[in-house]
Amino acid sequence: ISILVSLLVLHNKVLAQEALTTEQWREDLNILATEMPTRHLDLFHTQSKESFEKAVQSLHANIPNMQSHEVIVELAKIANAVGDGHSGIRFGDRAINFKRVPLRLHWLDDGVFVKAAPKTLEEVIGAELVEVGKEPVATALQKLSPLIAKDNDQGLKFSLPILMTMPKVLHALKISISSSEATFTFLKNDRKITKTLEIQSMPAQSGEDNEWVDARDSSENPTPFWLRNTDKRFAYIFDDATKTAYIQINSIRNSDDESLPAFANRVFADIDTRETDRLVIDIRRNGGGNNYLTRPVIKEIIQRPNLERAGVLFCIIGARTFSAAQNFTNRLENWTHVTFVSEPTSQKVNLFGDNQRFQLPNSGITVRASYLWWQDMDPR
């Protein structure tokens, strides 16, 4: 009952945002501007106090001429300028609830591509996105970047393709002329395809909806290990052909039926019974969790000299490796002879984390402010 009541309250907050007065939005802005410096350990570690106050004053003056979604985008821009990925406003906040157009985009080194879409848009799957609204993709990405709370530019790679599918965000930044639909131009097989797409409800994963198609669906190759257990917090596969022990940790949290330490104990007990040429720890999809759960995993590794060796121990990281997963990365680097593979992480090695949260009273939007400094690595 309490969950249903909470969801109802959030739903009403979202509806009520359209009717908020200038003074109500200004009250929310004032609370954000007052509480963030108080709650954050060092709000001005990257941005200056002057730039923060100037942005607040500018929004305060402009609110009377803005629609609610435009105010929200500017609030996020102020809150997310802190310079650490644990602080600010997230567009996944239920009180914001900006709906998306039916595209799943992926940002690769050579462009932004359509990873998945409904069957009705099958012709653009695998296509490169070249224009959003009135802007080239590179310009759109540049305009969207200030809306992401991040430690480094890797933090943009996962989040920006999601924001690019939110018409309200695109409209607020004057990338698109409508807040309920957006026009996208794709390039596939040297042919340009333009589609105007309306917002709709999205499945949590493209594979959960039979009406969606993924770019991998046409592949004749078997599903790689790292995509076989994306719905699990951790998983283990032993590949007999290559004598590889593959451990995927998607979250530094216990699952409902097994703790992470118990999982590690069970897995390494099995590895001890096998002839193992390499150990791979995959945390490229890991956004963090509970730092204190990583120690037992590290202990299992370093207690096995046959595995804890250069050329045998590997860790796969990526742009989604963040927070407690970064601490895990640091500890592997400090205490083992690991070789890291793939993209850089989206977190600094020494980081602000463990945010306090407070809610803006009128809009219901949650703001985060980091209050701890994690220093795993040499301070220099």
Side-chain angles (χ1 to χ4, degrees):
I1 292 173
S2 63
I3 292 172
L4 289 173
V5 169
S6 298
L7 289 172
L8 181 61
V9 169
L10 283 169
H11 178 67
N12 290 337
K13 286 278 189 185
V14 172
L15 293 177
Q17 285 171 2
E18 300 296 333
L20 290 186
T21 66
T22 292
E23 291 312 309
Q24 286 175 314
W25 278 119
R26 282 176 170 169
E27 181 185 7
D28 278 8
L29 172 62
N30 182 59
I31 289 173
L32 182 150
T34 302
E35 292 295 324
M36 285 199 78
T38 301
R39 294 172 183 263
H40 198 287
L41 183 64
D42 180 10
L43 190 70
F44 306 113
H45 60 85
T46 298
Q47 66 174 339
S48 68
K49 183 178 180 181
E50 291 72 26
S51 65
F52 177 77
E53 292 176 346
K54 184 178 179 180
V56 170
Q57 292 166 5
S58 176
L59 178 55
H60 183 275
N62 291 329
I63 284 175
N65 304 314
M66 300 172 73
Q67 298 180 56
S68 62
H69 65 280
E70 295 173 313
V71 179
I72 291 170
V73 166
E74 291 303 314
L75 284 171
K77 194 181 294 185
I78 292 170
N80 295 348
V82 176
D84 71 74
H86 284 87
S87 298
I89 291 172
R90 298 179 182 177
F91 283 90
D93 190 331
R94 288 177 177 172
I96 294 178
N97 195 33
F98 284 177
K99 295 195 181 301
R100 298 163 57 186
V101 300
L103 288 175
R104 289 194 186 280
L105 304 173
H106 195 67
W107 188 359
L108 301 173
D109 288 343
D110 53 346
V112 177
F113 293 83
V114 180
K115 183 184 182 299
K119 291 179 180 178
T120 54
L121 295 172
E122 194 163 0
E123 65 177 319
V124 303
I125 293 172
E128 181 181 2
L129 178 63
V130 292
E131 291 178 8
V132 183
K134 302 178 292 182
E135 307 284 3
V137 163
T139 304
L141 289 171
Q142 187 176 23
K143 288 186 175 183
L144 288 162
S145 294
L147 301 183
I148 303 299
K150 61 180 174 48
D151 281 60
N152 58 37
D153 285 346
Q154 282 293 98
L156 303 174
K157 294 196 75 171
F158 173 69
S159 300
L160 285 189
I162 297 174
L163 288 192
M164 203 172 275
T165 63
M166 294 182 179
K168 285 189 175 182
V169 172
L170 300 176
H171 178 260
L173 296 177
K174 297 181 172 51
I175 297 172
S176 177
I177 60 174
S178 171
S179 61
S180 60
E181 63 181 24
T183 300
F184 301 85
T185 301
F186 309 93
L187 183 63
K188 188 174 184 180
N189 299 327
D190 297 322
R191 181 172 71 94
K192 280 193 173 183
I193 307 167
T194 299
K195 298 283 186 181
T196 298
L197 306 176
E198 297 181 348
I199 58 175
Q200 67 174 53
S201 297
M202 297 276 287
Q205 299 285 342
S206 53
E208 295 178 5
D209 191 326
N210 292 331
E211 296 304 311
W212 277 63
V213 181
D214 189 277
R216 283 209 82 258
D217 292 346
S218 60
S219 174
E220 296 179 358
N221 295 319
T223 302
F225 289 171
W226 75 287
L227 291 177
R228 294 184 188 181
N229 294 290
T230 57
D231 59 333
K232 297 178 181 178
R233 291 189 171 173
F234 32 79
Y236 165 59
I237 299 172
F238 192 90
D239 184 49
D240 292 309
T242 60
K243 299 179 182 178
T244 298
Y246 174 81
I247 300 173
Q248 183 173 21
I249 305 176
N250 293 322
S251 177
I252 311 291
R253 293 178 177 86
N254 297 323
S255 68
D256 292 338
D257 55 357
E258 187 176 30
S259 70
L260 181 55
F263 164 78
N265 182 264
R266 172 173 62 83
V267 165
F268 280 93
D270 180 79
I271 292 172
D272 288 342
T273 68
R274 302 174 182 270
E275 185 180 346
T276 306
D277 285 352
R278 74 183 54 79
L279 170 62
V280 178
I281 313 289
D282 192 338
I283 55 172
R284 80 185 88 173
R285 296 176 61 88
N286 196 318
N290 182 350
N291 260 315
Y292 299 100
L293 293 177
T294 65
R295 186 168 181 263
V297 182
I298 300 286
K299 285 180 66 178
E300 294 286 357
I301 296 170
I302 63 176
Q303 286 172 350
R304 291 167 172 80
N306 62 313
L307 301 177
E308 198 281 283
R309 293 164 46 202
V312 175
L313 176 61
F314 297 87
C315 180
I316 305 177
I317 55 178
R320 291 175 69 176
T321 307
F322 182 74
S323 194
Q326 178 64 56
N327 295 110
F328 184 46
T329 303
N330 297 341
R331 291 161 192 175
L332 284 172
E333 183 168 4
N334 281 336
W335 296 107
T336 75
H337 292 90
V338 68
T339 298
F340 292 106
V341 181
S342 193
E343 297 179 300
T345 64
S346 59
Q347 185 88 69
K348 294 177 180 176
V349 293
N350 295 325
L351 58 106
F352 289 97
D354 294 77
N355 50 56
Q356 293 186 17
R357 304 179 188 188
F358 60 94
Q359 197 172 70
L360 304 181
N362 300 305
S363 62
I365 294 170
T366 297
V367 184
R368 294 167 167 80
S370 302
Y371 65 89
L372 283 183
W373 172 249
W374 290 85
Q375 185 167 295
D376 291 338
M377 311 298 280
D378 188 296
R380 291 161 294 185

